[in-house]
Every structure is written in structure tokens, then in C-alpha cells.
Amino acid sequence: MKIRKILCISAFFFLSIAASVSALPSGYGKVQLGMSVDAVKEALKKDHQFGYRGDRDVTLSPKDHETVIETDPTTYASFSFFDRCWFQFSNEKLSVITLSMNMDMIDHYAIFSELCEKYGNPDEISPKKSVWKSDSVTLSLEKPLIIKYVDAKVFKDKQDASKVEKTTSEKAKDAFLKGL
């Protein structure tokens, strides 16, 4: 009887913790993964913290001829927590949001703590980055201070399509780690 009571209390405790963790966001503010180029431009125009100046911030990636929007909030939105922002598109849909943070206004620990509080502990952590994953989004906090939102399906599709073989040093590293 005591064991059953302890199990019920433990289950309630863990369920309440799980319920307090939010699902990963698919973007920041009104800019969300999967949006069209025009929809992202409109959202950026309405949110001045990105420092978007219009079509002069839009370029084509020379490698794959896909659209990239780069903004400079330090020049055009001096109050912003962002230092630089990139919005990468794949097949005319937003697939990666990269937000370089203004380290004079915010620090790594503050962002890391907030992300852990909202989304739980990272799925991966290293000295270079912390990564939270869901089926649809990968959210990373990278050093020195960059937040990335990545469309997980688009990333996996690109990774599968590249079929790049591992380098000798990558194979050696894998062999070493397996030997531990």
C-alpha cells in the first residue's frame, strides 16, 4: 500500500514537471519557420528590433541560389537585443533563423537559464552549444551568443541529399569514442 502511494505521488510530481515544460517554438516573435519570403519581409517590417531596411537586406546564396535576408540591428535598431540576424530560405520557405545577440545587452547565462526553464534541459550540450530538439524544430544556443531555430525536416532532407562521406579524422574520432 505504501509503495502504491509513493508511486502515485511520484507520478503526479513528474507529470506536473512535464506539463510545465513548453513545446519548442518554431521561431521568434512573428517570424516563424515555414513562412514565405514575402511573409517574413512583412513580419520584419513590423518588428523594428530586427533592423530590417527592405529589399536591400535580401540576397541570394551563391551556392544554392536560395534567398537569405540579413539584417543589422546595431545600425538600424540600436535598442535591439540582436547584433545581426539571418533568415535562410529553402524552396521559398524559411528554414533557418540565426540571431546573433548583442552581448552588451544580454548574456549567455540569462538566455540559457530562460531556455532551460521554458523547454527543460537541452537534448545535447557541449562547450560550444546547447541544443533542444523536437520532431519539427531544433533550437540551439551557440557560443559566443547565437540563437538558431532550424526546420528539422528541411535540415534532415538536405543532410540526406548531400551524402557526404566522413573524413578520415571524423572516422578516427568515431573509432576512438567507441573504444571508450
Side-chain angles (χ1 to χ4, degrees):
M1 188 65 154
K2 286 184 181 182
I3 292 175
R4 190 176 290 177
K5 189 175 186 180
I6 291 171
L7 288 174
C8 286
I9 292 170
S10 296
F12 177 75
F13 174 73
F14 288 117
L15 287 174
S16 65
I17 289 174
S20 67
V21 175
S22 300
L24 290 178
S26 60
Y28 179 82
K30 301 286 185 196
V31 181
Q32 301 293 308
L33 297 172
M35 293 173 71
S36 69
V37 175
D38 290 334
V40 170
K41 288 178 185 180
E42 286 304 311
L44 291 175
K45 284 179 190 175
K46 292 176 183 174
D47 192 338
H48 298 290
Q49 67 183 326
F50 289 111
Y52 179 68
R53 301 170 299 158
D55 281 341
R56 67 183 143 267
D57 292 335
V58 180
T59 61
L60 282 178
S61 171
K63 182 179 175 188
D64 50 17
H65 302 291
E66 292 186 350
T67 304
V68 176
I69 298 174
E70 179 181 359
T71 67
D72 182 4
T74 59
T75 302
Y76 301 102
S78 58
F79 61 88
S80 179
F81 284 92
F82 303 130
D83 196 29
R84 250 327 193 232
C85 304
W86 295 269
F87 306 89
Q88 297 171 255
F89 296 81
S90 183
N91 298 320
E92 299 298 316
K93 298 290 181 193
L94 184 59
S95 59
V96 180
I97 301 169
T98 305
L99 307 172
S100 177
M101 306 306 292
N102 181 340
M103 293 191 295
D104 291 334
M105 295 186 70
I106 191 114
D107 63 89
H108 188 275
Y109 180 76
I111 294 173
F112 179 80
S113 298
E114 184 67 21
L115 293 175
C116 287
E117 187 176 314
K118 282 185 170 182
Y119 311 117
N121 290 331
D123 295 299
E124 296 174 17
I125 193 163
S126 73
K128 293 182 180 181
K129 66 181 175 180
S130 304
V131 180
W132 292 261
K133 295 181 176 184
S134 73
D135 291 341
S136 58
V137 178
T138 300
L139 170 63
S140 63
L141 174 60
E142 302 174 6
K143 291 203 175 169
L145 198 50
I146 295 171
I147 299 172
K148 278 189 184 174
Y149 301 86
V150 179
D151 184 312
K153 182 183 180 328
V154 171
F155 180 76
K156 184 177 180 338
D157 291 348
K158 283 190 174 207
Q159 204 172 28
D160 291 346
S162 71
K163 296 182 183 174
V164 175
E165 194 172 319
K166 287 187 176 185
T167 65
T168 305
S169 62
E170 289 173 324
K171 290 176 186 176
K173 179 182 171 184
D174 289 345
F176 169 78
L177 291 172
K178 288 179 182 176
L180 294 176

